[in-house]
mmCIF file of all heavy atoms in Angstrom:
data_model
loop_
_atom_site.group_PDB
_atom_site.id
_atom_site.type_symbol
_atom_site.label_atom_id
_atom_site.label_comp_id
_atom_site.label_asym_id
_atom_site.label_seq_id
_atom_site.Cartn_x
_atom_site.Cartn_y
_atom_site.Cartn_z
ATOM 1 N N SER A 1181 44.191 -55.253 -35.546
ATOM 2 C CA SER A 1181 44.700 -56.284 -34.625
ATOM 3 C C SER A 1181 45.687 -57.189 -35.404
ATOM 4 O O SER A 1181 46.274 -57.992 -34.617
ATOM 5 C CB SER A 1181 43.458 -57.098 -34.225
ATOM 6 O OG SER A 1181 42.754 -57.659 -35.372
ATOM 7 N N GLN A 1182 45.933 -57.072 -36.619
ATOM 8 C CA GLN A 1182 46.950 -57.816 -37.306
ATOM 9 C C GLN A 1182 48.281 -57.084 -37.476
ATOM 10 O O GLN A 1182 49.206 -57.609 -38.114
ATOM 11 C CB GLN A 1182 46.440 -58.259 -38.711
ATOM 12 C CG GLN A 1182 45.132 -59.013 -38.723
ATOM 13 C CD GLN A 1182 45.223 -60.277 -37.961
ATOM 14 O OE1 GLN A 1182 46.205 -61.025 -38.023
ATOM 15 N NE2 GLN A 1182 44.141 -60.647 -37.187
ATOM 16 N N GLN A 1183 48.320 -55.859 -36.902
ATOM 17 C CA GLN A 1183 49.483 -55.013 -37.064
ATOM 18 C C GLN A 1183 50.110 -54.684 -35.721
ATOM 19 O O GLN A 1183 49.641 -54.972 -34.673
ATOM 20 C CB GLN A 1183 49.104 -53.821 -37.900
ATOM 21 C CG GLN A 1183 48.654 -54.070 -39.282
ATOM 22 C CD GLN A 1183 48.237 -52.806 -39.985
ATOM 23 O OE1 GLN A 1183 47.344 -51.996 -39.496
ATOM 24 N NE2 GLN A 1183 48.794 -52.552 -41.158
ATOM 25 N N LYS A 1184 51.305 -54.005 -35.850
ATOM 26 C CA LYS A 1184 51.938 -53.513 -34.687
ATOM 27 C C LYS A 1184 52.429 -52.095 -34.911
ATOM 28 O O LYS A 1184 52.548 -51.571 -36.058
ATOM 29 C CB LYS A 1184 53.255 -54.402 -34.490
ATOM 30 C CG LYS A 1184 54.280 -54.402 -35.554
ATOM 31 C CD LYS A 1184 55.461 -55.342 -35.293
ATOM 32 C CE LYS A 1184 56.457 -55.368 -36.505
ATOM 33 N NZ LYS A 1184 57.588 -56.225 -36.244
ATOM 34 N N ILE A 1185 52.572 -51.384 -33.783
ATOM 35 C CA ILE A 1185 53.045 -50.008 -33.755
ATOM 36 C C ILE A 1185 54.482 -49.993 -33.258
ATOM 37 O O ILE A 1185 54.788 -50.559 -32.182
ATOM 38 C CB ILE A 1185 52.154 -49.143 -32.955
ATOM 39 C CG1 ILE A 1185 50.685 -49.145 -33.345
ATOM 40 C CG2 ILE A 1185 52.594 -47.672 -32.862
ATOM 41 C CD1 ILE A 1185 49.728 -48.516 -32.456
ATOM 42 N N VAL A 1186 55.358 -49.280 -34.004
ATOM 43 C CA VAL A 1186 56.762 -49.288 -33.626
ATOM 44 C C VAL A 1186 57.251 -47.829 -33.543
ATOM 45 O O VAL A 1186 56.883 -46.986 -34.367
ATOM 46 C CB VAL A 1186 57.674 -49.989 -34.779
ATOM 47 C CG1 VAL A 1186 59.116 -49.891 -34.353
ATOM 48 C CG2 VAL A 1186 57.208 -51.460 -34.848
ATOM 49 N N LEU A 1187 57.937 -47.554 -32.442
ATOM 50 C CA LEU A 1187 58.519 -46.224 -32.242
ATOM 51 C C LEU A 1187 60.032 -46.335 -31.752
ATOM 52 O O LEU A 1187 60.252 -47.218 -30.878
ATOM 53 C CB LEU A 1187 57.741 -45.404 -31.173
ATOM 54 C CG LEU A 1187 58.238 -43.946 -30.870
ATOM 55 C CD1 LEU A 1187 56.967 -43.135 -30.485
ATOM 56 C CD2 LEU A 1187 59.198 -43.950 -29.737
ATOM 57 N N ARG A 1188 60.858 -45.673 -32.415
ATOM 58 C CA ARG A 1188 62.349 -45.674 -32.045
ATOM 59 C C ARG A 1188 62.835 -44.318 -31.986
ATOM 60 O O ARG A 1188 62.587 -43.471 -32.852
ATOM 61 C CB ARG A 1188 63.064 -46.541 -33.062
ATOM 62 C CG ARG A 1188 64.545 -46.754 -32.720
ATOM 63 C CD ARG A 1188 65.187 -47.646 -33.719
ATOM 64 N NE ARG A 1188 66.538 -47.981 -33.400
ATOM 65 C CZ ARG A 1188 67.589 -47.194 -33.651
ATOM 66 N NH1 ARG A 1188 67.420 -46.010 -34.251
ATOM 67 N NH2 ARG A 1188 68.850 -47.586 -33.303
ATOM 68 N N THR A 1189 63.562 -44.051 -30.849
ATOM 69 C CA THR A 1189 64.128 -42.675 -30.688
ATOM 70 C C THR A 1189 65.564 -42.739 -30.177
ATOM 71 O O THR A 1189 65.864 -43.693 -29.391
ATOM 72 C CB THR A 1189 63.283 -41.798 -29.780
ATOM 73 O OG1 THR A 1189 63.793 -40.544 -29.701
ATOM 74 C CG2 THR A 1189 63.208 -42.345 -28.381
ATOM 75 N N GLN A 1190 66.419 -41.822 -30.598
ATOM 76 C CA GLN A 1190 67.748 -41.678 -30.128
ATOM 77 C C GLN A 1190 67.866 -40.423 -29.208
ATOM 78 O O GLN A 1190 67.699 -39.308 -29.713
ATOM 79 C CB GLN A 1190 68.702 -41.560 -31.238
ATOM 80 C CG GLN A 1190 70.194 -41.590 -30.825
ATOM 81 C CD GLN A 1190 70.683 -42.940 -30.478
ATOM 82 O OE1 GLN A 1190 70.654 -43.906 -31.241
ATOM 83 N NE2 GLN A 1190 71.235 -43.035 -29.269
ATOM 84 N N LEU A 1191 68.281 -40.634 -27.937
ATOM 85 C CA LEU A 1191 68.378 -39.540 -27.006
ATOM 86 C C LEU A 1191 69.853 -39.300 -26.823
ATOM 87 O O LEU A 1191 70.649 -40.260 -26.561
ATOM 88 C CB LEU A 1191 67.732 -39.837 -25.694
ATOM 89 C CG LEU A 1191 66.279 -40.192 -25.705
ATOM 90 C CD1 LEU A 1191 65.738 -40.522 -24.366
ATOM 91 C CD2 LEU A 1191 65.461 -39.059 -26.321
ATOM 92 N N VAL A 1192 70.339 -38.049 -26.893
ATOM 93 C CA VAL A 1192 71.800 -37.719 -26.656
ATOM 94 C C VAL A 1192 71.853 -36.520 -25.715
ATOM 95 O O VAL A 1192 70.953 -35.819 -25.478
ATOM 96 C CB VAL A 1192 72.389 -37.341 -28.082
ATOM 97 C CG1 VAL A 1192 72.373 -38.498 -29.026
ATOM 98 C CG2 VAL A 1192 71.784 -36.136 -28.673
ATOM 99 N N ASP A 1193 73.130 -36.487 -25.138
ATOM 100 C CA ASP A 1193 73.460 -35.375 -24.279
ATOM 101 C C ASP A 1193 73.701 -34.179 -25.125
ATOM 102 O O ASP A 1193 74.432 -34.184 -26.148
ATOM 103 C CB ASP A 1193 74.730 -35.688 -23.550
ATOM 104 C CG ASP A 1193 75.016 -34.668 -22.375
ATOM 105 O OD1 ASP A 1193 75.118 -33.452 -22.715
ATOM 106 O OD2 ASP A 1193 75.135 -35.005 -21.230
ATOM 107 N N GLU A 1194 73.031 -32.987 -24.836
ATOM 108 C CA GLU A 1194 73.061 -31.816 -25.594
ATOM 109 C C GLU A 1194 74.505 -31.321 -25.752
ATOM 110 O O GLU A 1194 74.926 -30.804 -26.805
ATOM 111 C CB GLU A 1194 72.135 -30.755 -25.072
ATOM 112 C CG GLU A 1194 72.043 -29.538 -25.978
ATOM 113 C CD GLU A 1194 71.063 -28.514 -25.429
ATOM 114 O OE1 GLU A 1194 71.490 -27.745 -24.582
ATOM 115 O OE2 GLU A 1194 69.921 -28.510 -25.813
ATOM 116 N N SER A 1195 75.280 -31.338 -24.723
ATOM 117 C CA SER A 1195 76.606 -30.754 -24.745
ATOM 118 C C SER A 1195 77.638 -31.651 -25.402
ATOM 119 O O SER A 1195 78.413 -31.187 -26.146
ATOM 120 C CB SER A 1195 77.058 -30.481 -23.250
ATOM 121 O OG SER A 1195 77.059 -31.661 -22.488
ATOM 122 N N SER A 1196 77.516 -32.980 -25.182
ATOM 123 C CA SER A 1196 78.623 -33.863 -25.746
ATOM 124 C C SER A 1196 78.095 -34.600 -27.038
ATOM 125 O O SER A 1196 78.975 -35.017 -27.846
ATOM 126 C CB SER A 1196 78.968 -34.889 -24.705
ATOM 127 O OG SER A 1196 77.884 -35.748 -24.405
ATOM 128 N N GLY A 1197 76.838 -34.733 -27.199
ATOM 129 C CA GLY A 1197 76.294 -35.407 -28.385
ATOM 130 C C GLY A 1197 76.316 -36.938 -28.255
ATOM 131 O O GLY A 1197 75.988 -37.658 -29.184
ATOM 132 N N LYS A 1198 76.735 -37.413 -27.052
ATOM 133 C CA LYS A 1198 76.747 -38.910 -26.850
ATOM 134 C C LYS A 1198 75.377 -39.429 -26.482
ATOM 135 O O LYS A 1198 74.652 -38.772 -25.898
ATOM 136 C CB LYS A 1198 77.787 -39.174 -25.707
ATOM 137 C CG LYS A 1198 79.222 -38.714 -26.095
ATOM 138 C CD LYS A 1198 80.139 -39.113 -24.960
ATOM 139 C CE LYS A 1198 81.605 -38.726 -25.261
ATOM 140 N NZ LYS A 1198 82.500 -39.018 -24.114
ATOM 141 N N PRO A 1199 75.191 -40.660 -26.847
ATOM 142 C CA PRO A 1199 73.908 -41.317 -26.516
ATOM 143 C C PRO A 1199 73.678 -41.306 -24.951
ATOM 144 O O PRO A 1199 74.622 -41.461 -24.210
ATOM 145 C CB PRO A 1199 74.032 -42.791 -27.027
ATOM 146 C CG PRO A 1199 75.045 -42.682 -28.130
ATOM 147 C CD PRO A 1199 76.019 -41.579 -27.687
ATOM 148 N N LEU A 1200 72.391 -41.122 -24.648
ATOM 149 C CA LEU A 1200 72.100 -40.907 -23.170
ATOM 150 C C LEU A 1200 71.185 -41.912 -22.733
ATOM 151 O O LEU A 1200 70.104 -42.248 -23.413
ATOM 152 C CB LEU A 1200 71.502 -39.498 -23.050
ATOM 153 C CG LEU A 1200 71.393 -38.852 -21.711
ATOM 154 C CD1 LEU A 1200 72.709 -38.698 -21.076
ATOM 155 C CD2 LEU A 1200 70.539 -37.587 -21.741
ATOM 156 N N ASN A 1201 71.432 -42.458 -21.585
ATOM 157 C CA ASN A 1201 70.427 -43.374 -20.933
ATOM 158 C C ASN A 1201 69.748 -42.600 -19.821
ATOM 159 O O ASN A 1201 70.357 -41.829 -19.023
ATOM 160 C CB ASN A 1201 71.285 -44.559 -20.211
ATOM 161 C CG ASN A 1201 71.686 -45.577 -21.191
ATOM 162 O OD1 ASN A 1201 71.065 -45.772 -22.250
ATOM 163 N ND2 ASN A 1201 72.806 -46.243 -20.932
ATOM 164 N N VAL A 1202 68.425 -42.688 -19.803
ATOM 165 C CA VAL A 1202 67.590 -41.943 -18.829
ATOM 166 C C VAL A 1202 66.910 -42.944 -17.917
ATOM 167 O O VAL A 1202 66.692 -44.078 -18.277
ATOM 168 C CB VAL A 1202 66.579 -40.991 -19.532
ATOM 169 C CG1 VAL A 1202 67.292 -39.982 -20.339
ATOM 170 C CG2 VAL A 1202 65.670 -41.815 -20.516
ATOM 171 N N HIS A 1203 66.478 -42.358 -16.788
ATOM 172 C CA HIS A 1203 65.797 -43.198 -15.802
ATOM 173 C C HIS A 1203 64.397 -43.622 -16.271
ATOM 174 O O HIS A 1203 63.872 -44.720 -16.035
ATOM 175 C CB HIS A 1203 65.682 -42.479 -14.390
ATOM 176 C CG HIS A 1203 67.001 -42.300 -13.779
ATOM 177 N ND1 HIS A 1203 67.177 -41.276 -12.829
ATOM 178 C CD2 HIS A 1203 68.170 -42.946 -13.905
ATOM 179 C CE1 HIS A 1203 68.485 -41.374 -12.413
ATOM 180 N NE2 HIS A 1203 69.029 -42.291 -13.046
ATOM 181 N N GLN A 1204 63.752 -42.702 -16.971
ATOM 182 C CA GLN A 1204 62.370 -42.953 -17.359
ATOM 183 C C GLN A 1204 62.082 -42.650 -18.768
ATOM 184 O O GLN A 1204 62.397 -41.442 -19.257
ATOM 185 C CB GLN A 1204 61.413 -42.033 -16.572
ATOM 186 C CG GLN A 1204 61.428 -42.376 -14.969
ATOM 187 C CD GLN A 1204 60.606 -41.385 -14.242
ATOM 188 O OE1 GLN A 1204 60.338 -40.261 -14.640
ATOM 189 N NE2 GLN A 1204 60.222 -41.746 -13.027
ATOM 190 N N ALA A 1205 61.676 -43.587 -19.579
ATOM 191 C CA ALA A 1205 61.314 -43.382 -20.971
ATOM 192 C C ALA A 1205 60.007 -44.155 -21.231
ATOM 193 O O ALA A 1205 60.051 -45.445 -21.226
ATOM 194 C CB ALA A 1205 62.419 -43.864 -21.947
ATOM 195 N N PHE A 1206 58.939 -43.447 -21.326
ATOM 196 C CA PHE A 1206 57.618 -44.108 -21.489
ATOM 197 C C PHE A 1206 56.921 -43.660 -22.772
ATOM 198 O O PHE A 1206 57.081 -42.553 -23.241
ATOM 199 C CB PHE A 1206 56.685 -43.668 -20.250
ATOM 200 C CG PHE A 1206 57.255 -44.091 -18.873
ATOM 201 C CD1 PHE A 1206 57.377 -43.149 -17.887
ATOM 202 C CD2 PHE A 1206 57.724 -45.414 -18.711
ATOM 203 C CE1 PHE A 1206 57.882 -43.516 -16.583
ATOM 204 C CE2 PHE A 1206 58.179 -45.742 -17.453
ATOM 205 C CZ PHE A 1206 58.287 -44.798 -16.438
ATOM 206 N N VAL A 1207 56.027 -44.527 -23.259
ATOM 207 C CA VAL A 1207 55.122 -44.176 -24.321
ATOM 208 C C VAL A 1207 53.734 -44.240 -23.822
ATOM 209 O O VAL A 1207 53.357 -45.346 -23.265
ATOM 210 C CB VAL A 1207 55.393 -45.100 -25.541
ATOM 211 C CG1 VAL A 1207 54.333 -44.826 -26.630
ATOM 212 C CG2 VAL A 1207 56.836 -45.010 -26.058
ATOM 213 N N LEU A 1208 52.996 -43.131 -23.930
ATOM 214 C CA LEU A 1208 51.666 -43.083 -23.335
ATOM 215 C C LEU A 1208 50.666 -43.016 -24.555
ATOM 216 O O LEU A 1208 50.775 -42.264 -25.467
ATOM 217 C CB LEU A 1208 51.468 -41.874 -22.551
ATOM 218 C CG LEU A 1208 50.159 -41.616 -21.825
ATOM 219 C CD1 LEU A 1208 50.274 -40.886 -20.510
ATOM 220 C CD2 LEU A 1208 49.159 -40.827 -22.752
ATOM 221 N N LEU A 1209 49.690 -43.862 -24.529
ATOM 222 C CA LEU A 1209 48.600 -43.874 -25.456
ATOM 223 C C LEU A 1209 47.307 -43.475 -24.768
ATOM 224 O O LEU A 1209 46.875 -44.096 -23.792
ATOM 225 C CB LEU A 1209 48.394 -45.254 -26.178
ATOM 226 C CG LEU A 1209 49.345 -45.588 -27.290
ATOM 227 C CD1 LEU A 1209 50.711 -46.046 -26.723
ATOM 228 C CD2 LEU A 1209 48.786 -46.672 -28.176
ATOM 229 N N ARG A 1210 46.684 -42.468 -25.326
ATOM 230 C CA ARG A 1210 45.455 -41.878 -24.674
ATOM 231 C C ARG A 1210 44.306 -41.949 -25.712
ATOM 232 O O ARG A 1210 44.439 -41.375 -26.870
ATOM 233 C CB ARG A 1210 45.672 -40.535 -24.179
ATOM 234 C CG ARG A 1210 44.386 -39.878 -23.598
ATOM 235 C CD ARG A 1210 44.541 -38.432 -23.184
ATOM 236 N NE ARG A 1210 45.539 -38.242 -22.114
ATOM 237 C CZ ARG A 1210 46.652 -37.653 -22.339
ATOM 238 N NH1 ARG A 1210 47.123 -37.292 -23.518
ATOM 239 N NH2 ARG A 1210 47.496 -37.567 -21.301
ATOM 240 N N ASN A 1211 43.162 -42.532 -25.396
ATOM 241 C CA ASN A 1211 41.969 -42.541 -26.170
ATOM 242 C C ASN A 1211 41.403 -41.075 -26.204
ATOM 243 O O ASN A 1211 41.010 -40.535 -25.204
ATOM 244 C CB ASN A 1211 40.924 -43.501 -25.603
ATOM 245 C CG ASN A 1211 39.733 -43.691 -26.536
ATOM 246 O OD1 ASN A 1211 39.143 -42.797 -27.047
ATOM 247 N ND2 ASN A 1211 39.430 -44.982 -26.751
ATOM 248 N N LYS A 1212 41.329 -40.528 -27.374
ATOM 249 C CA LYS A 1212 40.941 -39.055 -27.507
ATOM 250 C C LYS A 1212 39.443 -38.936 -27.214
ATOM 251 O O LYS A 1212 38.994 -37.816 -26.900
ATOM 252 C CB LYS A 1212 41.227 -38.601 -28.904
ATOM 253 C CG LYS A 1212 42.724 -38.659 -29.225
ATOM 254 C CD LYS A 1212 43.115 -38.033 -30.566
ATOM 255 C CE LYS A 1212 43.117 -36.539 -30.350
ATOM 256 N NZ LYS A 1212 43.709 -35.828 -31.588
ATOM 257 N N ALA A 1213 38.706 -39.930 -27.251
ATOM 258 C CA ALA A 1213 37.185 -39.824 -27.021
ATOM 259 C C ALA A 1213 36.927 -39.973 -25.567
ATOM 260 O O ALA A 1213 36.111 -39.273 -24.945
ATOM 261 C CB ALA A 1213 36.494 -40.902 -27.887
ATOM 262 N N THR A 1214 37.578 -40.982 -24.923
ATOM 263 C CA THR A 1214 37.217 -41.357 -23.501
ATOM 264 C C THR A 1214 38.246 -40.816 -22.539
ATOM 265 O O THR A 1214 38.018 -40.775 -21.294
ATOM 266 C CB THR A 1214 37.063 -42.785 -23.376
ATOM 267 O OG1 THR A 1214 38.321 -43.457 -23.642
ATOM 268 C CG2 THR A 1214 36.086 -43.417 -24.276
ATOM 269 N N GLY A 1215 39.443 -40.506 -23.032
ATOM 270 C CA GLY A 1215 40.488 -40.071 -22.102
ATOM 271 C C GLY A 1215 41.256 -41.157 -21.415
ATOM 272 O O GLY A 1215 42.139 -40.960 -20.608
ATOM 273 N N GLN A 1216 40.878 -42.434 -21.734
ATOM 274 C CA GLN A 1216 41.468 -43.561 -21.104
ATOM 275 C C GLN A 1216 43.013 -43.647 -21.581
ATOM 276 O O GLN A 1216 43.351 -43.440 -22.698
ATOM 277 C CB GLN A 1216 40.792 -44.901 -21.520
ATOM 278 C CG GLN A 1216 41.480 -46.122 -21.014
ATOM 279 C CD GLN A 1216 40.879 -47.415 -21.593
ATOM 280 O OE1 GLN A 1216 40.033 -47.261 -22.409
ATOM 281 N NE2 GLN A 1216 41.443 -48.554 -21.287
ATOM 282 N N GLU A 1217 43.900 -43.908 -20.519
ATOM 283 C CA GLU A 1217 45.230 -43.886 -20.829
ATOM 284 C C GLU A 1217 45.968 -45.265 -20.456
ATOM 285 O O GLU A 1217 45.499 -45.964 -19.609
ATOM 286 C CB GLU A 1217 46.015 -42.846 -19.959
ATOM 287 C CG GLU A 1217 45.600 -41.433 -20.292
ATOM 288 C CD GLU A 1217 46.343 -40.416 -19.362
ATOM 289 O OE1 GLU A 1217 47.047 -40.836 -18.445
ATOM 290 O OE2 GLU A 1217 46.270 -39.215 -19.634
ATOM 291 N N ILE A 1218 47.025 -45.654 -21.269
ATOM 292 C CA ILE A 1218 47.776 -46.751 -20.933
ATOM 293 C C ILE A 1218 49.222 -46.435 -21.256
ATOM 294 O O ILE A 1218 49.500 -45.869 -22.271
ATOM 295 C CB ILE A 1218 47.224 -48.060 -21.667
ATOM 296 C CG1 ILE A 1218 48.081 -49.297 -21.306
ATOM 297 C CG2 ILE A 1218 47.305 -47.805 -23.188
ATOM 298 C CD1 ILE A 1218 47.427 -50.529 -21.748
ATOM 299 N N ILE A 1219 50.191 -46.824 -20.366
ATOM 300 C CA ILE A 1219 51.533 -46.467 -20.485
ATOM 301 C C ILE A 1219 52.379 -47.630 -20.724
ATOM 302 O O ILE A 1219 52.264 -48.657 -19.976
ATOM 303 C CB ILE A 1219 51.919 -45.630 -19.228
ATOM 304 C CG1 ILE A 1219 51.146 -44.302 -19.139
ATOM 305 C CG2 ILE A 1219 53.495 -45.354 -19.334
ATOM 306 C CD1 ILE A 1219 51.538 -43.533 -17.880
ATOM 307 N N PHE A 1220 53.384 -47.568 -21.549
ATOM 308 C CA PHE A 1220 54.274 -48.633 -21.870
ATOM 309 C C PHE A 1220 55.667 -48.149 -21.618
ATOM 310 O O PHE A 1220 55.996 -46.934 -21.791
ATOM 311 C CB PHE A 1220 54.132 -49.180 -23.326
ATOM 312 C CG PHE A 1220 52.844 -49.803 -23.614
ATOM 313 C CD1 PHE A 1220 51.777 -48.962 -24.189
ATOM 314 C CD2 PHE A 1220 52.519 -51.070 -23.353
ATOM 315 C CE1 PHE A 1220 50.548 -49.505 -24.436
ATOM 316 C CE2 PHE A 1220 51.311 -51.631 -23.663
ATOM 317 C CZ PHE A 1220 50.327 -50.830 -24.201
ATOM 318 N N VAL A 1221 56.624 -49.052 -21.322
ATOM 319 C CA VAL A 1221 58.015 -48.679 -21.094
ATOM 320 C C VAL A 1221 58.761 -48.817 -22.361
ATOM 321 O O VAL A 1221 58.646 -49.926 -23.030
ATOM 322 C CB VAL A 1221 58.670 -49.560 -19.934
ATOM 323 C CG1 VAL A 1221 60.136 -49.219 -19.755
ATOM 324 C CG2 VAL A 1221 57.891 -49.391 -18.635
ATOM 325 N N ALA A 1222 59.564 -47.838 -22.717
ATOM 326 C CA ALA A 1222 60.456 -47.990 -23.858
ATOM 327 C C ALA A 1222 61.837 -48.453 -23.413
ATOM 328 O O ALA A 1222 62.420 -47.850 -22.469
ATOM 329 C CB ALA A 1222 60.586 -46.504 -24.570
ATOM 330 N N GLU A 1223 62.239 -49.511 -24.050
ATOM 331 C CA GLU A 1223 63.525 -50.146 -23.619
ATOM 332 C C GLU A 1223 64.665 -49.741 -24.503
ATOM 333 O O GLU A 1223 64.422 -49.510 -25.734
ATOM 334 C CB GLU A 1223 63.341 -51.724 -23.678
ATOM 335 C CG GLU A 1223 62.232 -52.245 -22.780
ATOM 336 C CD GLU A 1223 62.570 -52.202 -21.282
ATOM 337 O OE1 GLU A 1223 63.686 -51.836 -21.011
ATOM 338 O OE2 GLU A 1223 61.677 -52.481 -20.515
ATOM 339 N N ALA A 1224 65.866 -49.631 -23.843
ATOM 340 C CA ALA A 1224 67.066 -49.228 -24.658
ATOM 341 C C ALA A 1224 67.618 -50.505 -25.351
ATOM 342 O O ALA A 1224 67.702 -51.624 -24.802
ATOM 343 C CB ALA A 1224 68.069 -48.646 -23.813
#
């Protein structure tokens, strides 16, 4: 509870290699014991 989880990713167009903005970029955390899920939005 005193820490934070950080994830950072770079998405690019396969043909041009330029950074890509997408409509949906989510991070899903699922409890492996109960199956409970919670979804967060990843912001650019």
Side-chain angles (χ1 to χ4, degrees):
S1181 58
Q1182 303 299 319
Q1183 294 178 307
K1184 61 183 178 181
I1185 302 172
V1186 178
L1187 181 149
R1188 186 179 185 275
T1189 183
Q1190 183 76 56
L1191 304 176
V1192 297
D1193 191 304
E1194 188 179 81
S1195 59
S1196 65
K1198 295 180 180 180
L1200 193 65
N1201 285 330
V1202 294
H1203 293 158
Q1204 298 173 338
F1206 301 128
V1207 175
L1208 181 148
L1209 278 79
R1210 179 187 294 109
N1211 189 310
K1212 299 187 77 171
T1214 65
Q1216 177 188 359
E1217 296 180 351
I1218 184 166
I1219 297 177
F1220 299 93
V1221 178
E1223 301 287 353

